Amino acid sequence: MAIRRIVKEGDPILRMKCRPVTEFGEKLNQLLDDMHETLEQANGVGLAAPQVGYCRRFFIMHLGDVKIEAINPEIKKTSGKQYVLEGCLSVPNKWGYVTRPNKCKFSAQNRKGEWYEMTLSGLGAQCVCHENAHLDGQLFIDVVEEFVDPEDLEEA
C-alpha cells in the first residue's frame, strides 16, 4: 500500500463529473487499499477518487471501525436535515456549516462489483452526501452557508 497525494482546491479534476467504474480487479483494489491508508494518515472521514487524481465514481469512508467502499454510488432517498460543520481534505484550512440530509439510503458496488444497499444517518449520511458530491465536481465550499475561522475552532 502507498500514501497517495491528495489533490487540492484549484486542480481541475475536482470540478469534473466522474465516469463510472467499469473494470473491477487488481488495479481498483490497489487504489482502494491506498486510499484507505491515505485517509487514515490524513485523519479524515471520507475520500473520493478525484481527490487522489482519478476521475471515477467511487469513494471510501471510515466511520469509526466501519470502513465503507462505495463504487458507482447512487443516492436513492434522503430525509431530515442536519446543520453541520464540515471541512475537506482537498480544501485545507477552510471550515463551514452546511445543511445535509440526516438520513441517506444509497446503493453502490463493492470492490468485486456486487451491488449492495445501505442506509446511514448522522455523520454517515453527511459523509455519503459530501463524498458523492465530489463525484459530480462539487466541493463543500459551494454549499457552505457560513464559513468559520479555523482559529475559532481551536478555541472551542
Side-chain angles (χ1 to χ4, degrees):
M1 292 197 291
I3 304 292
R4 300 283 178 139
R5 181 183 64 85
I6 297 175
V7 174
K8 302 294 187 252
E9 178 186 14
D11 189 308
I13 197 166
L14 293 174
R15 295 302 187 170
M16 297 171 72
K17 184 170 176 68
C18 296
R19 297 182 305 276
V21 172
T22 55
E23 292 184 30
F24 294 81
E26 189 52 42
K27 186 176 178 184
L28 176 63
N29 292 345
Q30 184 63 57
L31 182 54
L32 287 164
D33 291 343
D34 290 353
M35 286 175 66
H36 283 292
E37 190 170 338
T38 302
L39 184 58
E40 285 178 20
Q41 193 231 18
N43 201 28
V45 179
L47 189 63
Q51 291 181 275
V52 291
Y54 289 85
C55 193
R56 291 287 184 266
R57 296 192 76 78
F58 65 95
F59 61 80
I60 64 165
M61 302 186 309
H62 292 179
L63 301 172
D65 293 336
V66 178
K67 294 182 179 182
I68 297 168
E69 297 175 348
I71 302 165
N72 297 322
E74 298 173 18
I75 294 177
K76 299 293 189 181
K77 184 178 180 182
T78 62
S79 62
K81 289 183 181 179
Q82 54 179 333
Y83 186 66
V84 289
L85 182 64
E86 275 191 14
C88 180
L89 296 172
S90 290
V91 189
N93 303 315
K94 286 189 183 176
W95 295 86
Y97 285 97
V98 299
T99 299
R100 297 275 188 202
N102 191 49
K103 198 170 189 181
C104 178
K105 179 180 182 177
F106 70 99
S107 63
Q109 290 171 280
N110 63 23
R111 63 172 59 204
K112 295 177 182 176
E114 301 162 335
W115 284 95
Y116 69 90
E117 262 189 11
M118 185 176 281
T119 301
L120 296 170
S121 58
L123 177 61
Q126 176 187 354
C127 190
V128 167
C129 294
H130 176 114
E131 299 307 329
N132 198 66
H134 273 297
L135 307 182
D136 291 323
Q138 185 183 68
L139 299 173
F140 89 100
I141 55 175
D142 301 334
V143 295
V144 163
E145 296 169 44
E146 178 186 356
F147 281 100
V148 176
D149 187 327
E151 290 179 10
D152 293 341
L153 295 174
E154 292 171 12
E155 295 170 8

